[in-house]
């Protein structure tokens, strides 16, 4: 008892996921900046279901290794790990994850195959011997801290819960606030729950996520000022810290300004996921005097000049 209380129980395992449907490729969905938050949310909720607590198991990293999505898990309590193993063995984790993915990604069905490993041990073949599985997981200590991307997704997930809990009744105040979750809510009769909006030149615009069209227009029209825009975006985006912007300039020097600007905004979109919204880019453009480009992205340009 003394030894157990003085040394916390910590173990690690890898959960391998693969869709059995050829048209659903989990690594590709996770690599998509638009789909990533939905996949992460489904993983988070299913793992919470398996242990009975949001903090029952920690995700340290999600690896994309086609066709598998591999989740590195960390357990801090033996009872949580035991609950997880029971849920996994009885197929409840699989069912829960399929349901959450189906909801988060608005798909009809997401059939899954799962595999659980701890070090070199394949735990699926020894699930009936729960104590041995626990021993294998306990032997494998986590070899890393939580990945920075996971930390950001965790923060997003928490703010989403807060956002849902206030039922979207509070107006979104700042430019980095999240949109209403894109999950279907058939139970809600209110079809026009407020989305986040912002004002530009006296007009209201929906704070939507950046599109491929926005991305291409920006890269085409921003010219030499892409670096300044990147530095404005870096104030709220870790992925664009100073060396990154300078490295992009060197790396894509031969390809020219379009590719440099394209790659910079791609970093922003990939790292921010659903938080890569149009208002953040518009604010950055305004800060650098690129009003004409902001108007172009918002569809305000006509043949006549507005004074």
């Amino acid at each position: 008892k003394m030894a157990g209380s003085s040394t916390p129980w910590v173990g690690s395992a890898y959960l391998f996921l693969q869709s059995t449907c050829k048209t659903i490729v989990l690594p590709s969905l996770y690599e998509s900046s638009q789909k990533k938050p939905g996949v992460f949310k489904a993983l988070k909720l299913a793992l919470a279901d398996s242990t009975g607590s949001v903090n029952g198991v920690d995700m340290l990293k999600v690896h994309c290794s086609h066709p598998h999505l591999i989740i590195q898990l960390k357990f801090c309590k033996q009872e949580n790990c035991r609950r997880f193993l029971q849920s996994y063995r009885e197929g409840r984790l699989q069912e829960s994850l399929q349901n959450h993915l189906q909801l988060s990604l608005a798909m009809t069905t997401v059939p899954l195959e799962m595999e659980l490993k701890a070090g070199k041990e394949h735990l699926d073949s020894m699930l009936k011997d729960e104590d041995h599985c626990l021993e294998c997981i306990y032997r494998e200590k986590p070899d890393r801290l939580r990945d920075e991307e996971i930390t950001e997704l965790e923060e997003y997930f928490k703010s989403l819960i807060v956002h849902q809990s206030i039922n979207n009744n509070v107006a979104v105040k700042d430019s980095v606030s999240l949109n209403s979750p894109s999950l279907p809510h058939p139970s809600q009769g209110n079809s026009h729950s407020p989305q986040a909006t912002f004002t530009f030149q006296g007009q209201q615009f929906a704070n939507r996520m950046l599109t491929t069209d926005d991305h291409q227009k920006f890269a085409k029209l921003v010219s030499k000022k892409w670096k300044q825009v990147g530095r404005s975006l870096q104030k709220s985006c870790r992925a664009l810290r100073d060396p990154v912007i300078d490295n992009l300039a060197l790396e894509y020097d031969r390809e020219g300004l379009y590719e440099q600007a394209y790659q910079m905004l791609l970093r922003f979109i990939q790292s921010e996921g659903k938080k890569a919204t149009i208002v953040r880019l518009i604010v950055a453009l305004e800060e650098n005097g690129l009003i004409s480009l902001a108007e172009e992205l918002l569809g305000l340009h006509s043949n006549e000049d507005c004074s």
Side-chain angles (χ1 to χ4, degrees):
K1 275 186 180 178
M2 291 273 295
S5 60
S6 62
T7 316
W9 196 97
V10 176
S12 180
Y14 285 90
L15 181 63
F16 288 71
L17 303 175
Q18 181 182 356
S19 168
T20 53
C21 174
K22 284 183 182 176
T23 57
I24 300 170
V25 185
L26 290 176
S28 300
L29 289 171
Y30 192 78
E31 284 166 343
S32 153
S33 59
Q34 293 188 349
K35 301 285 187 188
K36 180 177 287 182
V39 176
F40 178 81
K41 182 182 176 185
L43 288 168
K44 185 80 182 160
L45 291 172
L47 289 169
D49 288 347
S50 75
T51 59
S53 162
V54 179
N55 304 313
V57 54
D58 200 10
M59 278 188 272
L60 297 182
K61 186 167 177 65
V62 177
H63 304 264
C64 292
S65 176
H66 292 258
H68 291 101
L69 199 63
I70 309 168
I71 298 94
Q72 186 174 2
L73 302 172
K74 175 187 174 184
F75 299 92
C76 288
K77 288 184 180 176
Q78 186 175 340
E79 57 266 37
N80 286 336
C81 189
R82 197 180 286 278
R83 280 195 208 109
F84 169 85
L85 285 168
Q86 287 166 356
S87 177
Y88 181 85
R89 186 180 67 232
E90 292 163 13
R92 284 183 283 118
L93 175 64
Q94 184 172 350
E95 191 182 335
S96 174
L97 185 51
Q98 285 177 172
N99 291 341
H100 286 303
L101 282 169
Q102 194 176 328
L103 272 172
S104 288
L105 301 171
M107 291 181 170
T108 48
T109 179
V110 185
L112 291 176
E113 273 182 359
M114 289 183 156
E115 197 180 343
L116 191 62
K117 292 181 186 176
K120 293 176 182 176
E121 301 288 350
H122 291 251
L123 302 185
D124 295 71
S125 60
M126 55 177 86
L127 287 171
K128 286 181 180 174
D129 190 348
E130 204 172 276
D131 288 334
H132 185 51
C133 288
L134 283 167
E135 200 179 298
C136 294
I137 291 170
Y138 179 68
R139 252 197 324 251
E140 292 302 314
K141 300 303 178 196
D143 59 356
R144 60 159 60 242
L145 295 172
R146 186 193 285 171
D147 195 62
E148 193 173 88
E149 182 184 58
I150 295 285
T151 303
E152 286 175 8
L153 285 163
E154 287 276 5
E155 284 166 13
Y156 166 78
F157 181 73
K158 281 175 194 164
S159 54
L160 195 64
I161 291 170
V162 171
H163 200 65
Q164 285 174 315
S165 70
I166 55 175
N167 292 323
N168 299 338
N169 287 335
V170 179
V172 174
K173 291 188 180 73
D174 61 48
S175 62
V176 195
S177 293
L178 300 163
N179 275 326
S180 305
S182 56
L183 294 182
H185 290 293
S187 58
Q188 289 181 356
N190 178 10
S191 61
H192 45 265
S193 62
Q195 292 282 325
T197 59
F198 66 98
T199 306
F200 178 79
Q201 295 186 352
Q203 291 188 46
Q204 288 280 99
F205 294 91
N207 184 19
R208 56 179 174 75
M209 282 178 5
L210 290 169
T211 63
T212 307
D213 192 40
D214 297 328
H215 196 169
Q216 289 168 349
K217 275 184 187 171
F218 170 81
K220 186 179 172 185
L221 301 170
V222 72
S223 192
K224 290 178 182 177
K225 282 201 168 181
W226 72 267
K227 273 189 173 186
Q228 285 101 303
V229 176
R231 293 205 168 96
S232 290
L233 288 170
Q234 81 177 187
K235 294 172 195 171
S236 61
C237 175
R238 290 185 201 173
L240 291 178
R241 287 175 182 146
D242 265 331
V244 175
I245 292 172
D246 293 331
N247 289 345
L248 286 172
L250 289 169
E251 196 178 337
Y252 295 96
D253 182 44
R254 285 187 179 181
E255 284 88 344
L257 291 172
Y258 176 93
E259 194 58 33
Q260 290 170 331
Y262 187 91
Q263 292 297 329
M264 184 278 289
L265 197 60
L266 181 64
R267 293 285 196 290
F268 175 71
I269 291 167
Q270 286 178 334
S271 72
E272 296 297 289
K274 281 194 176 178
K275 292 193 280 185
T277 53
I278 186 74
V279 74
R280 292 174 72 181
L281 184 55
I282 297 299
V283 168
L285 293 173
E286 280 187 297
E287 279 180 13
N288 294 285
L290 295 165
I291 305 302
S292 173
L293 177 47
E295 290 171 346
E296 183 72 43
L297 293 177
L298 294 173
L300 287 176
H301 265 181
S302 61
N303 294 328
E304 54 182 9
D305 258 318
C306 300
S307 53

